[in-house]
Amino acid sequence: MGCCTGRCTLILLCCLQLMTAAERQVFDFLSYQWAPITVNFFHIIMVILGLFGAVQYRSRYVIMYLLWMLLWLGWNVFVSCLYLDLGGLSKDSDILSLGVSSHRSWWKDNGPGCESHSLPSAGWQSQENPELTTVLSCWLQYQHIEVLHCSVQLLLSLLGFVYAVYVTSLFSDEEETYYK
């Protein structure tokens, strides 16, 4: 066995996916986006199963991870299209919050370099009201940050898919030699 086999690379990719999915989950919880929270939760479970399959030489778990990567790729393309307003989708819709809340991306108000200023109002001087706050001069617009998150997930998922196919073929070769 070499130092960096396909199996070790798949394990590394699964660990990276877990870290980036946990980070994404935190920011989705902060913005009350329930659809991404649910999908991220299933993604974390499937990546853990894929990791377990790669460590324990269980091809069924790796195949399940492989199939999930196809769905995960589709989800990230959908979210990217949503934030870029492609294909009739709009970032201003409440699709990601499932219509339960009126919250948007956490990055919209808290992005890097964003300065928020409260608008003056007579009766609400002492209270923080989100409708009376404007965000000015962000370094990077929130939709680009969200698309960047999706791009990282797409890259890791594509690499994970390729290595899962490779590892699955190795496992089947090892099973054939084992049973002969």
Side-chain angles (χ1 to χ4, degrees), residues 15 60 94 103 127 132:
C15 291
R60 289 185 179 146
D94 60 351
H103 293 279
Q127 293 184 356
L132 300 176

Side-chain angles (χ1 to χ4, degrees), residues 96-141:
L96 295 179
S97 63
L98 298 176
V100 176
S101 62
S102 63
H103 293 279
R104 303 286 185 253
S105 173
W106 183 83
W107 296 105
K108 187 171 185 174
D109 298 327
N110 302 301
C114 290
E115 299 172 8
S116 60
H117 299 285
S118 296
L119 297 175
S121 71
W124 300 95
Q125 294 284 340
S126 63
Q127 293 184 356
E128 182 86 17
N129 189 349
E131 285 121 15
L132 300 176
T133 303
T134 60
V135 177
L136 305 171
S137 68
C138 292
W139 293 342
L140 194 58
Q141 294 178 350

Side-chain angles (χ1 to χ4, degrees), residues 62-97:
V62 176
I63 290 171
M64 200 163 50
Y65 165 82
L66 186 108
L67 294 174
W68 173 256
M69 284 302 103
L70 293 174
L71 292 172
W72 185 243
L73 286 167
W75 170 257
N76 282 293
V77 168
F78 166 74
V79 172
S80 295
C81 290
L82 181 77
Y83 278 109
L84 293 175
D85 294 331
L86 298 174
L89 298 170
S90 173
K91 64 183 166 280
D92 296 324
S93 67
D94 60 351
I95 292 173
L96 295 179
S97 63

